[in-house]
Structures are given as structure tokens and as C-alpha cells.
């Protein structure tokens, strides 16, 4: 029993220690960002691997999510004779919620895990330590460009997801189920507000991008430098990012739409 | 020698006094005094696991000693701020035991890395310098390969070319000869000596290869059990009467230097089975 309490205390200490380390790490990373902007080549390479290479999975997922929403929404709306509003249902769900959230979850699985594994392996093979001995700060040279690339990519990816999702809904709703073409778009234009809906969705995706990338690069940098350590860190990245995104989504939604 | 506060002009580039360092409960260094003379090749030898790599990391400021002083070119390394430490490191080259090449860059780019990070040289000059360094280690032809396409020995020679890219004042070689065939070993031995004399470097070699190391070093230290157990020129060490040093220099399995990591008696371990066998 005493041992159990002791273990609880130790776990608590470890947790707060890690929180402290990750905050310090974040500060150092942010301090390295001006240096990255001075060398755009580094950033472009990372934007490619973090952002562009995630495009395919984001587009495909967006399309299917939009199509499913249209199917589900239509079945409910048609009972009330309100199938004209399908465009509103699809676009609001995607722009406010599913766009930022699903993109962030996919981003953590696709790009976040890759970032963690790459940085963790660089640590395990002494590449980071070698850089330090060459008087190159790995946080500036390796971490900061990756962090910035993730942070910038996430809102753009979410925007692509939303756009494709709305078209997915259009194909199914208008193409298959026979909703009126004009009604789909005009109802959407009338009911979706630029500030309340679109901007709030963008804010969400910015926050999720920041947190998910931070978790990914920190877990990589903090890896126990062994194969097992890298595999655990990669898992932690995906799990922690997913929990953080869902938790923050609730908080942000409550703040934005809770009145 | 006197303990002057500023030994910038003195004979020793690195001066270590009363160094104590522990990993967990295990004392790795327990009062080590060392001097690395300027412009000379100094070898540090000792059994596997005595902390030779750790010593190089302490000199490079990657680890912090628990006690004692480490001065490099008159600067107290553990007390340097980040900026000063990085400026000092630009003047130190280190060849890692594992090579530590950047796996996403080609051989050429790996050697060019320090040049690109620390200088604003035009591309033609970078190319000239990189080819020169690669020529010195015999791998000019391998410049397009990626690190994953190199053998262990080749990777280490690329790492050597990278370590000398900025023409440092001092190079630390961690096991430069392991994984080298006799020909490249011979070439490396000559290269280390040549670099040292031609460029006026100071070299620290960590190695187990007694013969090769003795052949090129001006001074040798033998470390074991956290202490310096022997020091002198290779000739002095050959003719030593210390059992420890003699055992090491001649490679005898029996003697005062333990081959085993500290452990309980073998028989006890076999009979008891549970003392830490799970970890
Ligand atoms: N990260 C670490 N955590 C705990 N102990 C460590 C760590 N790294 C090294 N050690 C311990 O420190 C001791 C010295 O290690 P070091 O790598 O300096 O040895 P070495 O003299 O370079 O050996 P070798 O000749 O085999 O390379 C070893 O006994 C090792 O167990
Ligand atoms: Mg070693």
C-alpha cells in the first residue's frame, strides 16, 4: 500500500518534470525560429515532407467524410422535408468540427509519428550529439524547421480537408440523392458565417497544429535513445496528440459556441 | 607545473585536475589529472568501459563533471556559457565512435555541413575544401554515396574528413582504427600524424590498438578504474614496471586490470540466480 502511494508520488513528479522539460524545450524551439526564417531552404524541405506528403491522405479522408455526412444528413433531413439544408449541415459540421479535428488526428498519425521517429533515431544514432560537437545547435537546425513546418501546414491541410469534404457532400447530395444544386450552395452561403464558423475553425486548426507538432518534436527529442525508446515515443506521440486534440476541441468549442 | 589561472600560452592545451564524474552510483572518474600538450599526439588508452568516450565528452562540454576542473586553451569548459562553448567547439573536431554521420545527407554534404553552417564560403570553395578532405581519407570517389551505403570503416573515415573540415586546433579521435582493414589502418595512422604535424594540430586518440597507437603518439595515458594508472612516452610505458600498465601494453588476459564489469563472484551468481538477472 505504502509502495503504491510512493509510486503514485513518483509518477506525479515525473509527469511535472516532463511538463517542465517540454516547456523549456518549446521556448528554445521558438527562439530558434528567426534563424529558420533566415534559411528558407530548411523550411521548404520540411514543408514538403510534413505538409505536402500528407495531402493525399487528407484529401481522400476529406472526400469520404463529406460523402458520409451527406448520406447521413439526407436521411434525417428528408423526414422533415428539409433536404434543401443539406449543404448547411455538411459545411457546418466540417468547417466547425470535423475539418480541424479529423485533420489533426490524421496529421498526428501521418506526420507527427514520422517526425518523432526521425528525430528519435537521429538521437539514437548520435547525430544530434554530433551536431552539438560541431557547434551546431540541433534545436535550431533540426527541431525548429520541423516545428514551424508542422505549425504552418496544419491549418492549410485543414482548409483542404474542409473544401474537399464540402465537395464530397455535394457529389453525394446533389449527384446521387437529387438535392437541388442551387439550394445546396445558396443555403450554405446564407447560413455559414465567416467569423463565427470559418474563423473559429481556423483558430482550432492553428491550436491543434501547434500542440500536435510540439508533442511530436518533443517526444522525438526526449526519446530514450534505443529502438524500444523510439517505438514508445512514436506511440506516445499519436496517443497524446489525439487526446490533446480531442480535449482541446471540447474546451475551444465550449468557449466559442457555448455562449 | 603550477596551477596558474590563465594557461593560454602554456604547453598544455587541455588541463584536467581532480576530475570526478559518476554515472548513477558508479564512479567513472575518481580524481583524474591529465595534460594534453599542444601540437602533440596524445593517446588515452584503457580497458573497454573505463570511460574514455566519457572523457572526450567531458572535454567537449557535453557532460558536466561533478568535481574538478577541465580547461581547454585556458577556458574552464564546465563554466562556459552557451555562446562561448559553441565558439570553442568550432575549434575542436571530434570523431565519434559511431561516426554519427547525418543520414539524410550524402557523403559530400556531410563533409560540407560544418562549412555551410559556420562559414559563408562560395560554393566553388566549399567544393574544393570538401574534395580535399575526402581525398585525404581516400574517399573522394565515394562522395555521392549516402551514409547507409557505406561500410562501418568508410563511415568513420568520412566522419574524420568532416571533423577536419573546419581545420580545428584540436581533434579528438574516438577509436579511429576499429573496423579498418590493415591498409586503411596504416593510411589512417599516417594521416593522423601528418595532420597533426602539417597543420599544427593537437590530437587526442582514444584507442585499444596498442601497437598502432604507440607508433604515432608522443605521450600516452593509461586509465583504469577511474584513475590514471600510467603515463609517459610509448618507450617509457613499454619499459614500465607497473603490473597494470604492462598487462595492458602487452595484452595479457591475467593481471591486476579486471576484464570483467564489476560483478559478484561467478559461483555465487550461478547458484543464486536471482541477483539482478532480470535487468
Ligand atoms: N548513458 C549512460 N548511462 C549510464 N551509464 C553510462 C552511460 N554511458 C556510459 N555509461 C557507463 O559509463 C562507463 C564508461 O563508458 P564509456 O562509453 O566512456 O566507455 P569507453 O571507455 O569509451 O569504452 P569503449 O572502449 O568500449 O568504447 C561504462 O561503464 C558505461 O556503463
Ligand atoms: Mg568508447
Amino acid at each position: 500500500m505504502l509502495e503504491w502511494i510512493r509510486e503514485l508520488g513518483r509518477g506525479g513528479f515525473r509527469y511535472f518534470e516532463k511538463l517542465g522539460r517540454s516547456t523549456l524545450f518549446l521556448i528554445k524551439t521558438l527562439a530558434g525560429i528567426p534563424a529558420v526564417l533566415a534559411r528558407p531552404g530548411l523550411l521548404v524541405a520540411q514543408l514538403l515532407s510534413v505538409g505536402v506528403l500528407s495531402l493525399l491522405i487528407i484529401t481522400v479522408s476529406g472526400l469520404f467524410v463529406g460523402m458520409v455526412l451527406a448520406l447521413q444528413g439526407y436521411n434525417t433531413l428528408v423526414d422533415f422535408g428539409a433536404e434543401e439544408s443539406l449543404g448547411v449541415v455538411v459545411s457546418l459540421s466540417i468547417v466547425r468540427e470535423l475539418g480541424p479535428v479529423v485533420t489533426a488526428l490524421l496529421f498526428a498519425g501521418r506526420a507527427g509519428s514520422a517526425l518523432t521517429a526521425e528525430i528519435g533515431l537521429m538521437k539514437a544514432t548520435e547525430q544530434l550529439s554530433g551536431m552539438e560537437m560541431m557547434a551546431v545547435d540541433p534545436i535550431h537546425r533540426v527541431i525548429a524547421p520541423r516545428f514551424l513546418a508542422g505549425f504552418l501546414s496544419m491549418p492549410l491541410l485543414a482548409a483542404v480537408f474542409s473544401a474537399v469534404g464540402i465537395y464530397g457532400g455535394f457529389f453525394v447530395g446533389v449527384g446521387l440523392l437529387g438535392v437541388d444544386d442551387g439550394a445546396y450552395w445558396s443555403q450554405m452561403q446564407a447560413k455559414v458565417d465567416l467569423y463565427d464558423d470559418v474563423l473559429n475553425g481556423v483558430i482550432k486548426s492553428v491550436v491543434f497544429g501547434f500542440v500536435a507538432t510540439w508533442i511530436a518534436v518533443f517526444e522525438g527529442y526526449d526519446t530514450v535513445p534505443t529502438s524500444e525508446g523510439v517505438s514508445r515515443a512514436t506511440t506516445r506521440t499519436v496517443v497524446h496528440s489525439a487526446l490533446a486534440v480531442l480535449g482541446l476541441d471540447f474546451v475551444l468549442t465550449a468557449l466559442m459556441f457555448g455562449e | 607545473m603550477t596551477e596558474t589561472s590563465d594557461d593560454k600560452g602554456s604547453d598544455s592545451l587541455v588541463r584536467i585536475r581532480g576530475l570526478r564524474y559518476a554515472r548513477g552510483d558508479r564512479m567513472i572518474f575518481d580524481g583524474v589529472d591529465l595534460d594534453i600538450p599542444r601540437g602533440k599526439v596524445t593517446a588515452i588508452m584503457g580497458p573497454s568501459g573505463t570511460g574514455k568516450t566519457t572523457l572526450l565528452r567531458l572535454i567537449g562540454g557535453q557532460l558536466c563533471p561533478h568535481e574538478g576542473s577541465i580547461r581547454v586553451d585556458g577556458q574552464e569548459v564546465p563554466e562556459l556559457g552557451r555562446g562561448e562553448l559553441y565558439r570553442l567547439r568550432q575549434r575542436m573536431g571530434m570523431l565519434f565512435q559511431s561516426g554519427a554521420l547525418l543520414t539524410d545527407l550524402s557523403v559530400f554534404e556531410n563533409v560540407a555541413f560544418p562549412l555551410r553552417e559556420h562559414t559563408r564560403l562560395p560554393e566553388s570553395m566549399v567544393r574544393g575544401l570538401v574534395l580535399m578532405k575526402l581525398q585525404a581519407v581516400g574517399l573522394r570517389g565515394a562522395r555521392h554515396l549516402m551514409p547507409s551505403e557505406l561500410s562501418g570503416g568508410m563511415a568513420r573515415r568520412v566522419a574524420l574528413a568532416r571533423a577536419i573540415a573546419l581545420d580545428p586546433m584540436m581533434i579528438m579521435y574516438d577509436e579511429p582504427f576499429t573496423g579498418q582493414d590493415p591498409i586503411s589502418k596504416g593510411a589512417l595512422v599516417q594521416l593522423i600524424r601528418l595532420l597533426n604535424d602539417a597543420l599544427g594540430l593537437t590530437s587526442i586518440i582514444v584507442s585499444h590498438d596498442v601497437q598502432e597507437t604507440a607508433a604515432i603518439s608522443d605521450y600516452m595515458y593509461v586509465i583504469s578504474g577511474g584513475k590514471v594508472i600510467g603515463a609517459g612516452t610509448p618507450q617509457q610505458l613499454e619499459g614500465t614496471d607497473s603490473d597494470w600498465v604492462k598487462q595492458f601494453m602487452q595484452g595479457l588476459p591475467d593481471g591486476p586490470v579486471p576484464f570483467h564489469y564489476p560483478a559478484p563472484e561467478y559461483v555465487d551468481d550461478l547458484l543464486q540466480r536471482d541477483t539482478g538477472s532480470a535487468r
Side-chain angles (χ1 to χ4, degrees):
Chain A
M1 183 63 193
L2 212 61
E3 189 50 43
W4 185 78
I5 294 173
R6 237 182 248 148
E7 194 46 52
L8 196 70
R10 244 179 257 140
F13 271 127
R14 269 200 300 270
Y15 177 77
F16 283 108
E17 197 202 330
K18 188 164 182 178
L19 209 61
R21 253 183 300 142
S22 61
T23 309
L24 281 179
F25 171 84
L26 178 66
I27 293 170
K28 285 191 209 155
T29 306
L30 295 178
I33 286 190
V36 177
L37 296 176
R39 289 177 64 182
L42 290 179
L43 179 63
V44 169
Q46 292 309 319
L47 279 174
L48 174 72
S49 75
V50 171
V52 177
L53 297 184
S54 305
L55 262 180
L56 183 67
I57 182 171
I58 296 290
T59 320
V60 173
S61 313
L63 190 67
F64 277 98
V65 167
M67 295 192 324
V68 169
L69 272 179
L71 276 179
Q72 295 278 15
Y74 181 83
N75 282 336
T76 313
L77 290 173
V78 84
D79 289 346
F80 305 98
E83 65 270 24
E84 310 276 87
S85 310
L86 186 65
V88 182
V89 170
V90 170
S91 58
L92 279 187
S93 330
I94 287 187
V95 169
R96 281 180 169 192
E97 275 304 320
L98 294 171
V101 173
V102 177
T103 308
L105 295 178
L106 291 171
F107 180 79
R110 163 69 181 72
S113 60
L115 280 177
T116 306
E118 187 189 12
I119 297 169
L121 274 173
M122 288 181 86
K123 183 175 181 188
T125 51
E126 290 193 310
Q127 295 182 50
L128 298 184
S129 168
M131 270 188 203
E132 267 178 30
M133 280 306 298
M134 289 187 279
V136 176
D137 190 337
I139 295 197
H140 291 187
R141 179 65 172 67
V142 176
I143 307 292
R146 285 168 172 76
F147 178 79
L148 191 57
F151 176 65
L152 294 178
S153 301
M154 181 45 212
L156 298 177
L157 290 172
V160 170
F161 183 99
S162 299
V164 174
I166 289 170
Y167 270 100
F170 173 79
F171 292 141
V172 170
V174 177
L176 287 182
L177 304 172
V179 175
D180 182 61
D181 184 356
Y184 187 86
W185 295 115
S186 62
Q187 291 254 3
M188 192 185 300
Q189 278 171 357
K191 292 276 165 55
V192 178
D193 186 81
L194 178 61
Y195 292 103
D196 282 350
D197 303 315
V198 179
L199 187 67
N200 278 340
V202 172
I203 291 175
K204 276 188 181 179
S205 63
V206 169
V207 172
F208 297 163
F210 186 88
V211 172
T213 322
W214 175 21
I215 292 178
V217 290
F218 174 70
E219 286 293 351
Y221 193 75
D222 203 46
T223 304
V224 180
T226 58
S227 352
E228 194 197 10
V230 174
S231 102
R232 280 176 186 227
T234 313
T235 312
R236 267 202 307 274
T237 291
V238 177
V239 173
H240 289 186
S241 305
L243 292 178
V245 164
L246 295 172
L248 279 171
D249 183 46
F250 177 76
V251 174
L252 288 175
T253 309
L255 287 177
M256 289 168 176
F257 306 103
E259 278 350 74
Chain B
M1 260 179 242
T2 49
E3 292 275 19
T4 50
S5 58
D6 187 47
D7 43 5
K8 213 170 166 100
S10 87
D11 294 344
S12 46
L13 182 63
V14 180
R15 161 191 296 239
I16 297 177
R17 288 289 175 271
L19 171 68
R20 294 165 75 86
Y21 182 76
R23 287 269 197 200
D25 299 334
R26 216 166 93 80
M27 213 60 189
I28 310 266
F29 295 114
D30 195 0
V32 166
D33 297 341
L34 264 175
D35 284 285
I36 309 287
R38 262 176 216 279
K40 300 274 167 60
V41 179
T42 307
I44 296 173
M45 313 194 72
S48 184
T50 37
K52 302 180 298 294
T53 302
T54 309
L55 183 66
L56 296 187
R57 284 185 189 272
L58 283 161
I59 295 175
Q62 283 195 315
L63 298 173
C64 215
H66 296 251
E67 248 178 65
S69 115
I70 301 175
R71 288 178 163 273
V72 177
D73 202 22
Q75 290 174 291
E76 184 69 41
V77 175
E79 285 165 15
L80 289 181
R82 193 177 154 279
E84 290 169 307
L85 183 62
Y86 271 52
R87 237 165 292 137
L88 180 64
R89 281 181 185 164
Q90 285 192 30
R91 300 193 288 143
M92 299 188 200
M94 174 148 169
L95 175 64
F96 275 72
Q97 204 164 355
S98 61
L101 294 179
L102 302 170
T103 42
D104 55 342
L105 299 179
S106 68
V107 165
F108 183 94
E109 285 301 322
N110 260 289
V111 180
F113 182 82
L115 295 169
R116 294 200 200 286
E117 292 293 320
H118 294 305
T119 67
R120 294 248 170 278
L121 295 177
E123 188 55 37
S124 61
M125 207 143 152
V126 170
R127 191 181 133 86
L129 280 170
V130 171
L131 292 187
M132 188 171 90
K133 308 294 174 185
L134 281 173
Q135 173 75 11
V137 297
L139 288 175
R140 190 166 45 84
R143 64 176 178 270
H144 300 301
L145 298 182
M146 293 305 283
S148 57
E149 298 167 317
L150 300 176
S151 74
M154 288 162 80
R156 208 175 301 230
R157 282 192 276 156
V158 174
L160 175 56
R162 187 178 66 176
I164 58 177
L166 282 176
D167 292 330
M169 62 165 180
M170 167 172 107
I171 306 190
M172 302 187 271
Y173 302 92
D174 197 352
E175 316 265 2
F177 307 125
T178 13
Q180 303 294 343
D181 60 86
I183 299 171
S184 49
K185 201 187 271 185
L188 271 183
V189 167
Q190 281 181 356
L191 179 66
I192 292 175
R193 188 73 241 185
L194 192 76
L195 284 172
N196 193 80
D197 298 345
L199 302 177
L201 301 176
T202 302
S203 314
I204 307 178
I205 302 185
V206 162
S207 176
H208 300 299
D209 296 76
V210 180
Q211 301 311 326
E212 281 80 5
T213 315
I216 47 166
S217 47
D218 299 306
Y219 204 77
M220 300 174 84
Y221 284 95
V222 181
I223 313 183
S224 180
K227 297 213 188 296
V228 174
I229 57 162
T233 61
Q235 292 75 24
Q236 283 170 344
L237 286 185
E238 296 280 358
T240 180
D241 29 74
S242 151
D243 287 343
W244 295 69
V245 179
K246 209 184 282 173
Q247 183 202 348
F248 195 81
M249 295 295 286
Q250 298 169 4
L252 307 174
D254 284 320
V257 181
F259 161 65
H260 295 283
Y261 191 87
E265 279 298 312
Y266 191 28
V267 179
D268 295 348
D269 234 0
L270 287 176
L271 292 179
Q272 283 182 353
R273 270 179 293 166
D274 61 339
T275 45
S277 56
R279 332 199 113 231

